[in-house]
């Protein structure tokens, strides 16, 4: 039986090609993901270990704001005491914070969070072990800096040039003393690294004479754990210390955890691709078994048992899966190399290191490919073994019995109904629990629809068929009839496309709906012409606010100053604003009271918070501020909840009176005459043309929220493309084998006058009909899932309302039709080239 299976694989290698491709693509996705993440993980682990190669002990001190007023970090005296300990070869103090460098056009290099500044800490030899200088030397004076090599190249800077550097203070100019290379994570992430003289860095980021971190290098033969015990005795109690090995291990765990999420996402999409591939494989073996009905019956007649027939089909599937897995693994390794190169191309630099080819991806590739293929072929093999020999010998086509179809449709309807109920229940429940119910319901419904899809094919295609008959005549009529001739095959072929379009449509509906809600929120609630913030995500200070208030043409200015307070025993976040101006900048609809009362020292409370706590206008609430001082505040207004302010809104002066340092995430501004290039330029000038300051108009604000959603959708579309490619292969495979089965029929049609052009058209239209059927099912189910998931966000997103993106849905339908046309090119050409006399004689 094994020899028979091998012979059948070799005899039908052309017909099994699409199956091999489908399995190969899925396996490549799985093995490529595993190799890529293993390589990435090992590279970062090696980089982390290298960073702490000669570090025996690492010390850090990041005190709370209250403690920082007394001791902001590790003092020079502490550093000196560490250096005097037995077994210490050297100790290096470090400080770091945000530092942004503009290019020649004044635009910030990097993305804010990845722009970093730190101190140059040379040893007795004048070198800092963390940085290797390619040009010049490290900064040793107040007016000097050094830049990493990539940032210098992007900005077009050479040693000796003057460079503007933005930190949390005013922009300053420095002379570039050197250009260096480094393995620092900020640079690897596409950001920038600026080295300052130590005294300059301390003044900018902590306080003169203080550090945030210190690394201790041990003398040869010193035990790191004993040195750690000694260091703990001389550092402040708020400081933390650990061995360099422990720190490297912890960073390796963090890297593993971070990459684990990426691995799960990629493997999830690989699973979708393989799930789609199951239908292609099952369809292929179903058709192969049907074509070999007489052969299998003859084997039964000469003594082969049912189990042997099933095992023979499974052996064929195993061979196909093995071949596809081996090729897929090689393709996966190439994919991993490509992904790594792609990250470098997008400035997401990966540390150097060899490609990691462990046993896990090999085992996963072989296991997944072989098992998936055999699983998909099991049902056709079992069905073939159940055909009685006499019945099989008398007919090439063994149609499914009415009883089997009734049972299948009943099971499919029950599963679909159960899934739909779970989805509706999840939509009604909302929140995380609701989304879990929807996930379970979505999977159940998808399985139910797949089981039920042969039944759905007839009514859905019946709706589409008149259009083809009216436009294409006989070819359209024949295409529609052929599409429903074998509902099982049509359903299995359409299922692959339906799964892909279900996911794509669901994501599109959800993304469009959420994007529209965010767009409406910004359009409706923001009246300001501009929102100003720091690219680094840090807050601005009162000096920045004062500079904006003095900008020529500014008619209304208000900060969104972040603060905390305890009202009547309840901790709440508060927004400090400018009374009188805030109403002109942000739409805050009052439910009760007046926002004008903010100028009288009263507070405004969001409606949900007020309702939950039972507070109303006129209530006087005891308050405790961040500096532990106490007082009383009266509620002057209740307003509808807004995403742009905290649940409690107060005069900014109330918060600043109790904060050591103001934290202002955003400043809203209205300009005389509205937004204009001149107004934006005036605001930028008021902020000292600081490249780290972002001045956004209403369109920029909308893009800030909507752009992230569109980026996520595009990534999802790219990952789901694999499933759609496999769906296309499925249509090609079905049509090719269908043409092979219908050679005699096509020959007869040619003989009675259907020319080659109309034969091609018939096959193409059949493919389009099947593709559109899959599209209708997928789009309908996807829209339903998009609505359900969106309902779980409804309570947390003001202005949420379902939006069906008809333009994109139309594109999906057109693309589905195009898939059918492309998939039919080869089968249609093969059908048209058949010799009619030879075809008529074919059995």
């Amino acid at each position: 039986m094994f020899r028979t299976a091998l012979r059948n694989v070799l005899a039908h290698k052309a017909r099994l090609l699409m199956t091999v491709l489908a399995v190969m693509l899925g396996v490549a996705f799985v093995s490529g993901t595993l190799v890529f993440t293993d390589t990435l993980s090992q590279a970062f682990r090696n980089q982390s270990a290298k960073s702490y190669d000669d570090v025996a002990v690492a010390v850090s001190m990041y005190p709370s704001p209250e403690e920082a007023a007394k001791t902001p970090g590790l003092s020079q005296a502490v550093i000196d005491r560490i250096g005097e300990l037995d077994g210490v070869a050297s100790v290096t103090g470090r400080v770091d914070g945000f530092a942004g460098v503009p290019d020649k056009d004044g635009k910030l290099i990097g993305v804010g969070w990845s722009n970093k500044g730190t101190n140059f800490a040379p040893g007795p030899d004048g070198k800092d072990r963390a940085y290797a200088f390619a040009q010049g030397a490290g900064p040793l004076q107040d007016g000097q800096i050094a830049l990493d090599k990539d940032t210098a190249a992007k900005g077009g800077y050479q040693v000796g040039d003057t460079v503007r550097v933005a930190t949390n203070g005013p922009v300053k100019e420095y002379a570039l003393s050197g250009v260096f290379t480094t393995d620092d994570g900020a640079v690897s992430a596409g950001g920038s690294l600026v080295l300052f003289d130590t005294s300059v860095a301390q003044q900018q980021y902590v306080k003169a004479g203080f550090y945030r971190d210190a690394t201790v290098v041990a003398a040869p033969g010193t035990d790191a754990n004993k040195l750690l015990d000694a260091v703990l005795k001389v550092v402040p109690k708020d400081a933390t210390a650990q061995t360099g090995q422990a720190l490297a291990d912890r960073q390796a765990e963090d890297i593993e955890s971070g990459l684990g999420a990426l691995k799960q996402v990629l493997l999830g999409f690989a699973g979708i691709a393989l799930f789609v591939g199951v239908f292609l494989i099952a369809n292929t073996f179903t058709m192969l078994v049907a074509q070999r009905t007489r052969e299998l019956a003859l084997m039964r007649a000469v003594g082969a048992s049912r189990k042997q027939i099933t095992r023979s089909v499974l052996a064929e599937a195993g061979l196909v899966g093995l071949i596809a897995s081996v090729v897929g693994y090689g393709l996966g390794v190439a994919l991993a190399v490509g992904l790594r190169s792609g990250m470098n191309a997008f400035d997401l630099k990966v540390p150097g290191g060899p490609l990691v080819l462990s046993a896990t991806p090999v085992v996963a590739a072989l296991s997944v490919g072989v098992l998936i293929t055999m699983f998909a072929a099991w049902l056709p093999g079992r069905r073939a073994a159940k055909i009685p020999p006499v019945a099989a010998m008398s007919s090439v086509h063994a149609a499914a019995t009415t009883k089997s179809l009734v049972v299948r449709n009943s099971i499919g309807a029950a599963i679909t109904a159960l899934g739909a109920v779970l989805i509706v229940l999840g939509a009604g429940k909302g929140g995380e629990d609701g989304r879990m119910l929807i996930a379970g319901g979505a999977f159940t419904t998808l399985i139910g629809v797949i089981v039920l899809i042969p039944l759905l094919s007839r009514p859905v295609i019946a709706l589409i068929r008149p259009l083809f008959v009216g436009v294409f005549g006989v070819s359209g009529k024949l295409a529609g009839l052929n599409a429903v001739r074998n509902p099982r095959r049509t359903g299995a072929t359409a299922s692959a496309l339906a799964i892909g379009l279900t996911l794509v449509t669901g994501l599109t509906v959800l993304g469009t709906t959420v994007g529209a809600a965010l767009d409406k929120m910004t359009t409706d609630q923001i009246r300001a012409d501009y929102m100003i913030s720091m690219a680094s995500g840090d807050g601005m200070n009162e000096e920045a606010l004062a500079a904006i208030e003095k900008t020529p043409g500014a008619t209304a200015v208000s900060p969104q100053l972040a603060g905390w307070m305890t009202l009547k025993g309840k901790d709440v976040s508060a927004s400090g604003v400018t009374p009188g101006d805030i109403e002109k900048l942000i739409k805050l609809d009052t439910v009760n009271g007046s926002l004008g009362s903010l100028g009288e020292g009263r507070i405004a409370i969001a409606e949900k918070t007020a309702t939950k706590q039972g507070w109303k206008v006129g209530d006087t609430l005891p308050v405790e501020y961040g500096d532990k001082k106490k007082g009383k505040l009266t509620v002057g207004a209740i307003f509808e909840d807004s995403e742009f302010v905290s649940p409690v809104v107060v005069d900014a002066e109330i918060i600043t009176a109790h904060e050591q340092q103001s934290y202002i995430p955003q400043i809203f501004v209205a300009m005389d005459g509205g937004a204009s290039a001149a107004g934006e330029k005036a605001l930028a000038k008021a902020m000292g043309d600081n490249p780290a300051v972002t001045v956004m108009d209403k369109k920029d604000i909308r893009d800030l929220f909507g752009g992230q959603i569109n980026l996520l959708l595009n990534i999802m579309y790219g990952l789901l493309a694999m499933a759609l490619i496999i769906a296309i292969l499925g249509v090609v495979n079905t049509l090719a084998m269908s043409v092979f089965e219908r050679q005699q029929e096509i020959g007869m049609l040619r003989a009675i006058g259907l020319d080659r052009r109309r034969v091609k058209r018939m096959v193409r239209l059949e493919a389009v009909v099947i593709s559109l059927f899959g599209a209708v099912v997928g789009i309908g189910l996807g829209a339903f899932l998009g609505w359900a998931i969106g309902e779980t966000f409804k309570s947390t997103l003001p202005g949420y309302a379902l939006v069906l993106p008809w333009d994109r849905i139309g594109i999906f339908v057109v693309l589905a039709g195009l898939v059918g046309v492309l998939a039919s090119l080869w089968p249609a050409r093969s059908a048209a080239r058949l010799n009619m006399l030879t075809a008529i004689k074919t059995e």
Side-chain angles (χ1 to χ4, degrees):
M1 295 303 291
F2 180 77
R3 286 197 300 271
T4 302
L6 180 60
R7 178 188 61 80
N8 285 325
V9 170
L10 295 175
H12 302 119
K13 52 183 178 292
R15 298 179 216 173
L16 289 168
L17 177 62
M18 298 302 169
T19 297
V20 171
L21 287 174
V23 178
M24 182 184 72
L25 289 173
V27 169
F29 214 148
V30 171
S31 58
T33 295
L34 294 174
V35 171
F36 174 64
T37 52
D38 285 349
T39 300
L40 221 60
S41 178
Q42 186 62 48
F44 281 116
R45 279 200 299 267
N46 290 343
Q47 183 190 56
S48 176
K50 183 180 177 182
S51 300
Y52 296 100
D53 260 351
D54 56 352
V55 175
V57 177
V59 185
S60 298
M61 186 173 177
Y62 290 84
S64 63
E66 294 79 12
E67 294 295 329
K70 304 173 186 176
T71 308
L74 301 167
S75 67
Q76 186 62 51
V78 171
I79 299 294
D80 292 340
R81 285 200 295 271
I82 294 174
E84 294 168 358
L85 293 172
D86 291 338
V88 173
S90 66
V91 57
T92 304
R94 298 283 185 193
V95 292
D96 59 58
F98 170 76
V101 177
D103 58 20
K104 294 298 185 182
D105 297 325
K107 301 296 183 181
L108 185 68
I109 297 172
V111 289
W113 59 268
S114 62
N115 296 322
K116 180 181 170 184
T118 187
N119 61 303
F120 176 66
D125 59 355
K127 296 181 180 180
D128 189 326
R129 63 181 182 82
Y131 311 104
F133 278 82
Q135 301 172 33
L140 298 174
Q141 299 176 14
D142 289 358
Q144 293 181 334
I145 61 161
L147 291 176
D148 68 272
K149 187 176 181 180
D150 290 335
T151 301
K154 291 174 185 175
Y157 295 115
Q158 301 290 332
V159 173
D161 287 352
T162 299
V163 182
R164 299 175 69 244
V165 181
T167 59
N168 291 331
V171 178
K172 293 183 180 180
E173 293 185 345
Y174 298 87
L176 183 62
S177 66
V179 175
F180 59 89
T181 59
T182 178
D183 291 328
D184 190 279
V187 178
S188 297
S192 61
L193 181 62
V194 182
L195 296 184
F196 298 95
D197 176 67
T198 295
S199 61
V200 174
Q202 287 177 327
Q203 290 171 359
Q204 287 179 343
Y205 299 128
V206 192
K207 186 179 179 181
F210 286 88
Y211 302 89
R212 291 293 194 196
D213 303 280
T215 54
V216 181
V217 177
T222 303
D223 182 80
N225 290 310
K226 290 182 179 179
L227 187 57
L228 173 62
D229 294 336
V231 169
L232 286 170
K233 293 176 182 177
V234 299
V235 298
K237 63 179 181 179
D238 292 336
T240 59
Q242 55 189 319
T243 62
Q245 183 61 52
L247 187 58
D249 291 344
R250 192 184 71 183
Q251 287 196 1
E253 290 175 4
D254 292 341
I255 290 167
E256 196 74 33
S257 176
L259 291 176
L262 173 64
K263 182 188 290 187
Q264 288 175 4
V265 170
L266 292 176
L267 287 178
F269 284 97
I272 292 169
L274 288 168
F275 185 53
V276 171
V278 166
F279 298 97
L280 190 158
I281 299 164
N283 228 11
T284 300
F285 278 93
T286 298
M287 289 186 283
L288 285 176
V289 167
Q291 292 168 11
R292 291 163 46 206
T293 302
R294 287 184 176 177
E295 175 190 327
L296 295 173
L298 181 60
M299 293 174 66
R300 288 289 312 282
V302 297
S305 66
R306 288 185 176 185
K307 289 183 179 180
Q308 284 179 308
I309 296 294
T310 302
R311 284 200 294 265
S312 174
V313 175
L314 290 177
E316 291 179 42
L319 287 171
V320 171
L322 182 62
I323 294 168
S325 298
V326 172
V327 179
Y329 174 75
L331 187 62
V333 173
L335 179 64
V337 173
L339 286 172
R340 185 172 178 175
S341 300
M343 290 184 70
N344 289 328
F346 284 97
D347 288 335
L348 298 172
K349 298 182 180 177
V350 180
L355 196 68
V356 177
L357 301 176
S358 63
T360 302
V362 177
V363 173
L366 294 176
S367 301
V368 167
V370 173
L371 292 178
I372 286 290
T373 310
M374 292 180 70
F375 170 75
W378 173 76
L379 190 59
R382 182 171 176 272
R383 192 181 295 131
K386 291 174 69 175
I387 301 173
V390 175
M393 287 181 184
S394 64
S395 176
V396 175
H397 304 288
T401 63
T402 303
K403 179 182 177 182
S404 68
L405 289 175
V406 170
V407 171
R408 174 175 179 150
N409 294 335
S410 301
I411 294 173
I415 296 174
T416 303
L418 174 62
V421 169
L422 289 174
I423 292 171
V424 172
L425 288 175
K429 188 176 183 63
E432 188 65 31
D433 292 340
R435 286 190 283 275
M436 292 297 291
L437 276 175
I438 291 173
F443 181 76
T444 305
T445 303
L446 203 57
I447 296 298
V449 169
I450 288 166
V451 175
L452 199 60
I453 205 166
L455 177 65
L456 297 174
S457 64
R458 291 187 181 277
V460 174
I461 292 177
L463 292 174
I464 301 173
R465 190 167 55 203
L467 174 65
F468 289 90
V469 174
V471 177
F472 300 104
V474 174
S475 296
K477 183 177 181 178
L478 289 173
L481 293 172
N482 287 333
V484 295
R485 176 184 294 182
N486 190 330
R488 287 179 183 271
R489 182 183 302 171
T490 298
T493 305
S495 292
L497 190 60
I499 293 168
L501 282 175
T502 294
L503 297 170
V504 169
T505 305
L507 289 171
T508 302
V509 170
L510 181 62
T512 304
T513 302
V514 172
L518 291 173
D519 186 67
K520 185 175 185 296
M521 182 177 70
T522 55
T523 303
D524 290 353
Q525 295 190 22
I526 293 186
R527 294 171 173 170
D529 296 314
Y530 296 101
M531 183 177 79
I532 302 172
S533 61
M534 294 291 290
S536 63
D538 295 325
M540 294 167 283
N541 54 29
E542 293 179 48
E543 293 178 3
L545 177 61
I548 293 296
E549 289 174 337
K550 295 176 183 178
T551 303
T555 58
V557 178
S558 176
Q560 201 280 89
L561 194 154
W564 285 87
M565 59 179 64
T566 304
L567 282 176
K568 203 174 182 180
K570 175 69 175 178
D571 291 335
V572 293
S573 61
S575 290
V577 301
T578 301
D581 281 2
I582 189 62
E583 300 97 315
K584 303 173 186 176
L585 302 169
I586 298 177
K587 183 182 179 183
L588 296 175
D589 293 325
T590 53
V591 177
N592 200 0
S594 170
L595 290 175
S597 62
L598 293 174
E600 302 169 6
R602 298 192 175 194
I603 61 173
I605 300 177
E607 184 178 15
K608 289 182 181 178
T609 301
T611 302
K612 184 177 180 180
Q613 301 300 325
W615 298 335
K616 58 185 183 297
V617 172
D619 287 353
T620 299
L621 308 175
V623 60
E624 182 177 322
Y625 300 102
D627 59 0
K628 303 302 181 183
K629 292 183 179 180
K630 298 181 180 181
K632 292 184 178 180
L633 290 172
T634 301
V635 180
I638 305 293
F639 64 91
E640 292 182 5
D641 289 66
S642 169
E643 294 294 313
F644 294 96
V645 293
S646 299
V648 174
V649 177
V650 300
D651 187 336
E653 293 182 0
I654 293 177
I655 295 179
T656 56
H658 299 279
E659 298 284 348
Q660 294 178 351
Q661 186 175 1
S662 299
Y663 177 73
I664 306 175
Q666 299 100 18
I667 298 175
F668 295 96
V669 185
M671 301 293 288
D672 187 16
S676 65
E680 185 173 341
K681 187 175 180 179
L683 290 170
K685 186 177 180 181
M687 296 299 290
D689 289 320
N690 190 331
V693 173
T694 303
V695 179
M696 293 184 285
D697 59 19
K698 289 182 180 179
K699 181 180 180 301
D700 294 329
I701 297 170
R702 288 198 298 270
D703 291 344
L704 178 67
F705 294 102
Q708 296 173 355
I709 293 173
N710 289 331
L711 176 63
L712 182 62
L713 280 177
N714 289 334
I715 292 172
M716 295 297 182
Y717 290 159
L719 293 172
L720 287 170
M722 183 73 73
L724 294 178
I725 290 172
I726 293 175
I728 294 173
L729 294 177
V731 179
V732 174
N733 202 37
T734 297
L735 288 174
M737 301 191 80
S738 179
V739 167
F740 177 81
E741 287 179 356
R742 289 160 33 208
Q743 289 185 64
Q744 188 179 62
E745 174 190 321
I746 293 171
M748 291 294 295
L749 290 172
R750 290 289 315 283
I752 62 175
L754 196 69
D755 58 21
R756 289 185 175 182
R757 181 172 57 84
R758 284 188 287 182
V759 168
K760 285 184 180 180
R761 184 184 297 165
M762 176 187 71
V763 176
R764 287 172 185 163
L765 291 177
E766 183 180 347
V768 171
V769 167
I770 293 172
S771 297
L772 290 179
F773 168 51
V776 169
V777 174
I779 289 170
L781 186 55
F784 178 50
L785 289 176
W787 162 80
I789 297 171
E791 288 294 302
T792 64
F793 294 102
K794 193 172 184 179
S795 61
T796 59
L797 196 60
Y800 177 90
L802 179 67
V803 176
L804 291 176
W806 294 110
D807 54 342
R808 296 195 186 186
I809 289 175
I811 291 172
F812 296 158
V813 173
V814 171
L815 287 176
L818 185 61
V819 163
V821 172
L822 293 175
S824 67
L825 291 178
W826 173 48
R829 185 169 177 269
S830 299
R833 294 181 65 184
L834 286 174
N835 182 287
M836 69 177 73
L837 295 178
T838 303
I840 290 172
K841 291 188 295 181
T842 302
E843 293 187 6

